[in-house]
Amino acid sequence: MWPFKRKESWERTFRLRGHHGASKGFLAVLFWLWGVVGFLFNAGTLFGLTGNIGVGTSAYLTATCLVWIGGMLLFGIGALLARTDFDGERPIEGEYSDVRITR
């Protein structure tokens, strides 16, 4: 028994189901693909540097990292904000059966 945990006194009478659209899955796939490919590209570019690094190389690395981060934000926030449909339903009394287990 936890000292700060209150006993629940409510009974579940309403079920909420979320249905994701195709756009949410598509943006999630783009998020992961962009993230992995962009990370490998940036890491390969960074570790492939040899010799002296000038201002042009630093600007190029900064620009590619910013484009990568921008794409991650675009696809990630887009996947989070993509439309999700919710359906609510009350379970029928027969689903509960005759036995109820409570704490």
Side-chain angles (χ1 to χ4, degrees), residues 59-93:
Y60 173 73
L61 285 175
T62 303
T64 56
C65 286
L66 285 177
V67 169
W68 176 59
I69 291 170
M72 292 294 292
L73 287 173
L74 175 73
F75 297 132
I77 292 174
L80 287 175
L81 295 179
R83 188 166 174 245
T84 302
D85 294 330
F86 291 103
D87 292 336
E89 64 181 25
R90 291 188 182 274
I92 58 175
E93 203 55 43

Side-chain angles (χ1 to χ4, degrees), residues 26-41:
F26 179 69
L27 286 171
V29 167
L30 282 179
F31 172 79
W32 284 103
L33 187 66
W34 184 269
V36 171
V37 171
F39 179 76
L40 292 175
F41 174 76

Side-chain angles (χ1 to χ4, degrees), residues 2 4 13 17 22 27 36 38 41 65 76 78 84 91-92 96 100 102:
W2 296 96
F4 299 110
T13 59
R17 292 188 202 174
L27 286 171
V36 171
F41 174 76
C65 286
T84 302
I92 58 175
Y96 288 122
R100 290 191 185 206
T102 59

Side-chain angles (χ1 to χ4, degrees), residues 8-19:
E8 296 177 357
S9 61
W10 54 274
E11 182 178 340
R12 181 176 25 163
T13 59
F14 193 76
R15 183 180 307 153
L16 191 64
R17 292 188 202 174
H19 303 285

